[in-house]
Amino acid sequence: GAGVSQSPRYKVAKRGQDVALRCDPISGHVSLFWYQQALGQGPEFLTYFQNEAQLDKSGLPSDRFFAERPEGSVSTLKIQRTQQEDSAVYLCASSLILGVSYEQYFGPGTRLTVT
Amino acid sequence: AQKITQTQPGMFVQEKEAVTLDCTYDTSDPSYGLFWYKQPSSGEMIFLIYQGSYDQQNATEGRYSLNFQKARKSANLVISASQLGDSAMYFCAMREGVGQAGTALIFGKGTTLSVSS
């Protein structure tokens, strides 16, 4: 079956440009998470959606970061006026709202390089 | 304070040997879940094993087992009979308040495992 997909896989942006990163979760998964993974570090939480509602955005590092999931499936993470410190791998994960362990299934990530 | 601590930046093991990757955690929530993920060089996070705070027995999944010591707040991953394909970064992670689907995973810094022939 299809897993979580993300696009693009790689993105190079010049400082100051806007970027949009897309996540297609597993069909039927209600919960969707975005994480940021800096080089050599573990992923860090950015934001969470339950269906189309953004219930937690406490991890977004600045107001340049914006995420949406308008129809409760595909999600887009947008970064405005990119800075070099935004360079990282952005991971998307989805999970069923029901289940014992609420396992999160991760996509392959988008590697963003800001030059 | 770090919620998840992985003290081994790198571990080296020979094929067919067992290896233990350390993880300690910190939480005051009585309900939590502990996860181990594998991240090969391709970048995708692969779920390996889960342990709930109320589970009485240590979790096992094939060659993976979790040595859960609740009083010591440790959740070490044991890989038996290592294979070359096990070479990857391994992350320990925790979710607090299991039962709330919206709780994000908190990850450690990871341990790089290298398996040699």
Side-chain angles (χ1 to χ4, degrees):
Chain A
V4 179
S5 62
Q6 293 185 246
S7 61
R9 290 293 313 276
Y10 303 92
K11 176 71 179 177
V12 178
K14 290 189 177 178
R15 190 161 57 98
Q17 282 185 334
D18 297 350
V19 298
L21 313 179
R22 176 188 169 106
C23 171
D24 277 272
I26 294 173
S27 177
H29 278 195
V30 170
S31 299
L32 186 145
F33 300 80
W34 283 99
Y35 293 86
Q36 180 190 59
Q37 185 177 19
L39 188 64
Q41 302 293 316
E44 292 191 353
F45 169 73
L46 292 177
T47 187
Y48 161 69
F49 289 86
Q50 183 173 312
N51 294 308
E52 68 278 3
Q54 188 175 22
L55 298 186
D56 189 347
K57 53 182 180 180
S58 62
L60 296 176
S62 78
D63 58 9
R64 295 186 296 103
F65 286 71
F66 171 76
E68 60 183 5
R69 193 186 185 197
E71 296 178 0
S73 55
V74 171
S75 176
T76 304
L77 176 66
K78 298 178 179 178
I79 309 173
Q80 297 176 323
R81 303 181 304 281
T82 52
Q83 304 293 316
Q84 284 194 316
E85 62 262 28
D86 300 335
S87 295
V89 175
Y90 291 85
L91 294 166
C92 175
S94 69
S95 70
L96 284 169
I97 196 163
L98 298 176
V100 175
S101 66
Y102 298 103
E103 178 188 338
Q104 294 183 18
Y105 296 83
F106 283 80
T110 294
R111 182 178 296 278
L112 173 65
T113 303
V114 181
T115 60
Chain B
Q2 294 258 345
K3 291 236 174 186
I4 297 287
T5 303
Q6 295 181 255
T7 57
Q8 306 154 314
M11 289 287 285
F12 298 87
V13 68
Q14 291 218 313
E15 260 188 307
K16 301 179 186 176
E17 290 185 349
V19 62
T20 298
L21 306 183
D22 294 342
C23 173
T24 57
Y25 60 92
D26 183 27
T27 181
S28 56
D29 196 325
S31 178
Y32 54 89
L34 297 158
F35 299 76
W36 277 91
Y37 282 85
K38 172 184 178 182
Q39 188 176 44
S41 55
S42 58
E44 193 162 349
M45 299 287 279
I46 302 167
F47 166 75
L48 296 177
I49 197 166
Y50 164 80
Q51 180 86 43
S53 59
Y54 295 120
D55 293 344
Q56 295 297 312
Q57 294 190 327
N58 286 347
T60 60
E61 288 286 348
R63 294 186 299 112
Y64 304 108
S65 61
L66 201 151
N67 183 2
F68 181 47
Q69 298 188 39
K70 196 169 181 177
R72 296 179 60 185
K73 292 190 174 178
S74 75
N76 299 339
L77 176 70
V78 180
I79 306 175
S80 63
S82 298
Q83 301 173 355
L84 293 178
D86 293 336
S87 294
M89 181 79 97
Y90 288 79
F91 290 99
C92 179
M94 176 174 65
R95 290 188 61 226
E96 294 170 304
V98 172
Q100 303 168 36
T103 307
L105 288 166
I106 304 165
F107 286 86
K109 292 185 183 297
T111 296
T112 302
L113 176 65
S114 300
V115 181
S116 60
S117 57

